[in-house]
Amino acid sequence: VNPAARELALAESWTNLGKILDEQGRTRQAAAAAGRAVKAYRALAAVNPTAYERGLALALGNLGMILLNRRHPHRALAPTRESVAIYRRLVSASPAFAEADLARALWTYALVRAMARKELPAARDAVMEAIRILEPLAEQHPTAFSEPLLAAYGTAAEVLDALGEPREAAAIRQLVELGFQRVELARHAQVKIG
């Protein structure tokens, strides 16, 4: 058996287990599984960065979200920072390939910082960059990107609240609510037509 293929299967299994455990509310075990996924992808990326850095970035982002769900946003700062750095490298090599992934990583980065009440100006910059990436994607592919765009706007409101700008945050939340209503209406119309 090819050792890289075995290690990749193991990394994917740890990733999937972490997601399942997190969905079940077993966040301590989910964080352990996500940490093992990061370790496995890190080993793979050390040998072949081109093939495995994207998996490492995704695993780091997943770990960050699980740590956030465990109410450990401070521990999620480093993995989300590293995830963004990797996606930035990937975007510089192939913008179309990794731009949506970078937007998701930026959103996670900002959300973690908003919840930790740390690095708030960087969080604001990150979420605004995510929104700039997601807006044209949502226009071109509304089914795939409207909800992530609205989630990014929701995070922007959280960051603005943390920065002491509650009026701006409230205005964004109203727009997000209207946006989610429109997404639901569009989804309902597609079900009736389809």
Side-chain angles (χ1 to χ4, degrees):
V1 173
N2 178 346
R6 181 182 170 279
E7 193 69 19
L8 177 60
L10 189 58
E12 290 171 345
S13 295
W14 285 121
T15 298
N16 292 335
L17 180 60
K19 289 178 184 177
I20 291 167
L21 291 169
D22 192 40
E23 288 170 3
Q24 293 175 347
R26 298 168 58 189
T27 54
R28 187 172 53 79
Q29 295 96 333
R36 288 186 177 112
V38 166
K39 184 178 178 181
Y41 275 113
R42 196 177 300 284
L44 287 164
V47 175
N48 188 346
T50 304
Y52 300 112
E53 270 198 322
R54 188 175 188 175
L56 174 58
L58 179 62
L60 286 160
N62 288 341
L63 176 59
M65 285 303 293
I66 289 169
L67 290 170
L68 182 63
N69 291 344
R70 282 198 72 203
R71 309 236 191 293
H72 294 292
H74 293 87
R75 289 181 51 207
L77 295 168
T80 56
R81 182 180 301 111
E82 186 178 357
S83 178
V84 167
I86 292 169
Y87 280 125
R88 284 197 189 287
R89 284 196 306 271
L90 294 172
V91 165
S92 71
S94 178
F97 179 68
E99 201 171 46
D101 292 333
L102 174 60
R104 185 181 63 244
L106 288 163
W107 167 75
T108 303
Y109 175 96
L111 181 62
V112 164
R113 277 141 187 84
M115 297 299 109
R117 300 291 196 252
K118 297 278 187 185
E119 304 171 20
L120 294 172
R124 180 186 51 222
D125 294 346
V127 77
M128 295 314 294
E129 184 179 354
I131 288 168
R132 283 192 301 275
I133 293 168
L134 289 168
E135 281 180 335
L137 292 173
E139 283 182 27
Q140 295 168 357
H141 310 284
T143 305
F145 293 106
S146 291
E147 288 186 40
L149 175 60
L150 292 169
Y153 272 115
T155 297
E158 293 292 330
V159 171
L160 289 170
D161 265 340
L163 284 167
E165 300 176 29
R167 284 199 323 220
E168 292 85 351
I172 288 174
R173 283 191 181 95
Q174 287 178 333
L175 293 173
V176 168
E177 181 60 32
L178 287 172
F180 274 120
Q181 289 172 6
R182 288 185 180 148
V183 167
E184 280 303 310
L185 287 171
R187 187 177 292 133
H188 183 69
Q190 285 178 340
V191 169
K192 287 203 172 231
I193 293 170

